[in-house]
């Protein structure tokens, strides 16, 4: 996760970015066979469900960063009421933090009690048809560096002290933190095997879990002392090819011991958020049918907008970050997903990003559902979440919700070709090429936020089978149709 005010420390990187945008055409090919339970599989650049429909994800991050590293069963944490709220507002995915420190608090010892705490949340979400991405989350490695993720026993800083707390992301640049990452990438003391074994335990528990969408192998990896060689626009091919890809492939081996089919989501270096390309899969392919690329988009100068300064660079940067991410996913042979963006109460930032995601036909997961206690942040923490008070769902930030609760196709019996939504007017348009599937096209419609008086639908190539003004617009393809278009306007 990266944050608003804290990103001022990294804003200087913006001047190093290539001022170019662009997008890449979605690849609509097939890959692995259907799942016996509701799970997602890669379909070219997209995702499909067990019925063969393309799935678009709009979701929320839920990562409890302090001990016990799992959200408690309280109003401030995560309960059935939270799962209901997500479902009611059309959010069909959650990236759920599963921390290495919780899975393996002692080297070689799996904490089954911790897995049970995570499973409580998994089952609440799955019961409501919300897809779950299990995320080995880390920020600045460990609490010693005012971060989280890796257990204490996995910290090896060669005895170099952390002289002061520079906050997030400042502590990444301190020698002690970077040396610790160096030792990780160099597999000191067999750390890779322990990390692999922790993932193996997670896969063994949830391989057959309904509404599992896979495993996010490591959040926002940092290249350690080599960071200066990896800044945009060049990226860091030697590191990606010789350290980061082998590390994630090693973790994947543990997963595939128990789960041959669910999607393994690789993550590029965190600097992709500033436009650095990724070279995962460039020199050596990962021979796996179900890979994904999970990457993040945070404009480093959003904080300047919060201070009242004009922020004209973010639109350019967004396009560049999406371009390098999509190119990286194609090179890796992976599905695409934005797994973090936002972390701000600046609604224009979220509106700009989600509009661009629609244009690229990209699914996304917003940071974050709730603020929760976060060792990496300070005053800016409250801007991350959806609520003024995490314990009271009635305190939702309505402006942010109006942008994020969007009309969108959750399931498509075909291959999407174009998508747009205007949160100011409720105008929605969508087109796809129909193909055989075991279920209909389902479009979520946020009635309370955008259609209080209902809506009007115009469709060709398919017929509407849902009731008038339903919260889920259901379409059945018409035999012989070669294209489906649908538009929706507020009454």
């Amino acid at each position: 996760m990266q944050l608003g005010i804290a990103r001022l420390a990294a804003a200087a990187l913006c001047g190093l970015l290539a001022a170019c945008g662009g997008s890449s055409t979605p690849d609509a090919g097939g890959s692995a066979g259907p799942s016996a339970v509701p799970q997602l599989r890669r379909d070219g650049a997209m995702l499909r469900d067990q019925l063969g429909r393309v799935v678009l994800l709009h979701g929320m991050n839920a990562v409890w960063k302090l001990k016990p590293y799992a959200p408690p069963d309280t109003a401030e944490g995560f309960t059935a009421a939270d799962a209901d709220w997500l479902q009611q507002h059309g959010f069909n995915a959650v990236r759920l933090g599963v921390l290495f420190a919780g899975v393996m608090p002692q080297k070689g010892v799996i904490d089954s009690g911790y897995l049970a705490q995570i499973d409580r949340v998994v089952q609440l979400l799955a019961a409501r048809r919300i897809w779950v991405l299990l995320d080995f989350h880390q920020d600045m490695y460990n609490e010693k560096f005012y971060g989280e993720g890796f257990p204490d026993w996995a910290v090896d800083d060669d005895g170099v002290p952390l002289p002061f707390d520079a906050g997030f992301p400042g502590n990444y640049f301190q020698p002690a933190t970077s040396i610790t990452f160096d030792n990780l990438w160099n597999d000191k003391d067999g750390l890779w095997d322990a990390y692999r074994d922790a993932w193996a335990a997670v896969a063994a528990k949830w391989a057959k879990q309904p509404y599992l969408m896979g495993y996010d192998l490591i959040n926002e990896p940092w290249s350690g002392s080599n960071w200066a060689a990896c800044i945009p626009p060049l990226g860091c091919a030697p590191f990606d090819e010789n350290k980061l890809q082998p590390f994630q492939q090693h973790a994947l081996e543990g997963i595939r011991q128990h789960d041959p089919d669910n999607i393994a989501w690789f993550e590029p270096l965190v600097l992709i958020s500033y436009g650095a390309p990724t070279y995962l899969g460039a020199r050596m392919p990962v021979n796996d049918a179900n890979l994904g690329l999970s990457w993040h988009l945070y404009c480093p100068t959003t904080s300047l907008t919060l201070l009242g300064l004009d922020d004209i660079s973010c639109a350019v940067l967004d396009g560049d970050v999406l371009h390098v991410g999509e190119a990286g996913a194609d090179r890796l042979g992976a599905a695409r997903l934005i797994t973090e963006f936002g972390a701000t109460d600046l609604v224009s930032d979220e509106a700009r990003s989600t509009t661009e995601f629609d244009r690229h036909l990209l699914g996304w997961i917003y940071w974050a559902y709730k603020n929760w206690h976060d060792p990496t942040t300070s005053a800016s923490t409250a801007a991350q979440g959806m609520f003024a008070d995490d314990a009271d769902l009635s305190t939702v930030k309505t402006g942010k919700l109006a942008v994020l609760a969007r009309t969108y196709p959750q399931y498509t019996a075909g291959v999407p070709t174009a998508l747009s939504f205007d949160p100011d007017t409720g105008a929605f348009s969508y087109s796809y090429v129909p193909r055989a599937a075991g279920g209909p096209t389902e479009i979520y419609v946020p009635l309370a936020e955008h259609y209080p008086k209902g809506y009007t639908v115009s469709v060709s190539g398919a017929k509407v089978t849902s009731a008038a003004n339903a919260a889920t617009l259901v379409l059945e393809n018409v035999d012989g149709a070669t294209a489906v278009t649908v538009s929706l306007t507020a009454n």
Side-chain angles (χ1 to χ4, degrees), residues 309-329:
L309 301 177
D310 189 21
D311 182 16
I312 61 174
S313 62
C314 284
V316 173
L317 179 61
D318 284 2
D320 192 47
V321 171
L322 295 184
H323 173 73
V324 296
E326 289 169 336

Side-chain angles (χ1 to χ4, degrees), residues 181-188 192 218 221-223 226 236-250 266 269 280 283:
F181 273 97
D182 293 343
N183 286 329
L184 167 66
W185 304 130
N186 291 328
D187 192 22
K188 191 172 182 180
W192 287 23
I218 181 171
W222 176 249
S223 57
N226 192 44
C236 204
F239 177 81
D240 285 355
E241 295 168 353
N242 300 318
K243 300 293 185 182
L244 185 58
Q245 181 175 331
F247 172 78
Q248 295 190 69
Q249 285 189 245
H250 198 72
F266 280 57
L269 278 176
L280 296 173
R283 190 180 69 182

Side-chain angles (χ1 to χ4, degrees), residues 198-340:
W199 264 125
V202 169
K205 184 170 184 63
W206 285 295
K208 302 301 182 183
Q209 173 62 47
Y211 292 96
L212 183 69
M213 59 174 286
Y215 313 97
D216 196 336
L217 297 177
I218 181 171
N219 179 68
E220 296 187 344
W222 176 249
S223 57
S225 300
N226 192 44
W227 68 267
C230 302
I231 59 176
L234 298 178
C236 204
F239 177 81
D240 285 355
E241 295 168 353
N242 300 318
K243 300 293 185 182
L244 185 58
Q245 181 175 331
F247 172 78
Q248 295 190 69
Q249 285 189 245
H250 198 72
L252 176 59
E253 290 173 6
I255 290 170
R256 292 300 184 233
Q257 292 173 15
H258 303 281
D259 188 343
D261 297 319
N262 271 294
I263 300 172
W265 295 88
F266 280 57
E267 282 214 27
L269 278 176
V270 62
L271 292 173
I272 195 173
S273 286
Y274 306 114
T278 176
Y279 297 93
L280 296 173
R283 190 180 69 182
M284 183 176 295
V286 180
N287 296 316
D288 194 290
N290 274 304
L291 298 180
L293 187 72
S294 155
W295 80 100
H296 305 166
L297 186 152
Y298 290 108
C299 180
T301 56
T302 296
S303 300
L304 302 181
T305 304
L306 292 174
L307 296 175
L309 301 177
D310 189 21
D311 182 16
I312 61 174
S313 62
C314 284
V316 173
L317 179 61
D318 284 2
D320 192 47
V321 171
L322 295 184
H323 173 73
V324 296
E326 289 169 336
D330 291 345
R331 187 183 299 118
L332 186 63
R336 308 165 178 178
L337 185 63
I338 298 293
T339 47
E340 285 189 29

